[in-house]
Amino acid sequence: MTVADPAAFIRENTRLQPVPHAPEISLWLADEITPIWRLTEEELGEMGVPPPFWAFAWAGGQALSRYILDHPHEVAGKRVLDFAAGSGLVGVAAMKAGAASVLCADIDPFCEAAVAANAEANTVPLSFTGRNLLDNPPPEVDVICAGDICYEKPMTETVLAWLAQARASGARVLIGDPGRTYFPRTGLDFLAEYRVPTTRELEDQEIKRASVWSMP
């Protein structure tokens, strides 16, 4: 899938606004999911594309960003991977908390432009890759952050196995999740819980409980 001018698409269909649970950060976000989802399909020239995850600050990512901003020692001076980065929210939080570098990874064709726009808006440097990192062993980084990764059962199992591989290689793995159906109930260490403002368009509640966990 190719997009003629994703940066222009983002500018025309989103607006720069503070993240509700991490107002230190502003992102180019959509106000409603249905119109931008339809426009995304039109821009890509195909139907049934995944939701534009890059256009919203999802609850798990907000919780993980809040945790990082409040606990900068987790990332300060370290190489960080923002896995399935979407808007790059968690990556921005990591750089604001003093990370040495952040690589944002996402296979969505709009994400590179979204991450670049949000990095510029927050005056932080972010690197980006559109490669599917699950096809190879985890990269050599100090910390991997993953927010909102447990939407579908097969993908959740694949991602958690890949993250466990990263943990076994010595990386610190931080996961943000608002109680998705396929989120594992055991095998992780609880770090924090937040009440994250969201919208009923995206979630089943306007205030969503979202937690941050680490792989032991």
Side-chain angles (χ1 to χ4, degrees), residues 163-164 166-168 170-175 186-191 213-216:
L163 291 173
R167 182 71 190 102
R172 172 83 160 153
V173 175
L174 301 175
I175 300 172
T186 59
L188 297 171
D189 292 336
F190 173 81
L191 297 176
W213 306 77
S214 66
M215 282 194 164

Side-chain angles (χ1 to χ4, degrees), residues 84-193:
S87 65
L89 166 59
V90 178
V92 170
M95 287 304 300
K96 282 184 172 290
S101 64
V102 172
L103 174 63
C104 293
D106 205 297
I107 59 174
D108 186 302
F110 286 95
C111 281
E112 183 171 10
V115 166
N118 291 326
E120 181 180 10
N122 293 278
T123 61
V124 297
L126 295 174
S127 300
F128 182 84
T129 179
R131 292 185 297 110
N132 186 348
L133 298 187
L134 298 177
D135 291 338
N136 295 288
E140 292 186 8
V141 294
D142 303 306
V143 183
I144 297 180
C145 297
D148 298 287
I149 55 170
C150 298
Y151 287 95
E152 300 172 350
K153 189 172 189 292
M155 180 56 69
T156 298
E157 292 172 347
T158 299
V159 171
L160 289 176
W162 186 83
L163 291 173
Q165 185 180 355
R167 182 71 190 102
S169 298
R172 172 83 160 153
V173 175
L174 301 175
I175 300 172
D177 187 88
R180 304 284 180 215
T181 302
Y182 301 109
F183 184 75
R185 301 293 181 243
T186 59
L188 297 171
D189 292 336
F190 173 81
L191 297 176
E193 181 181 86

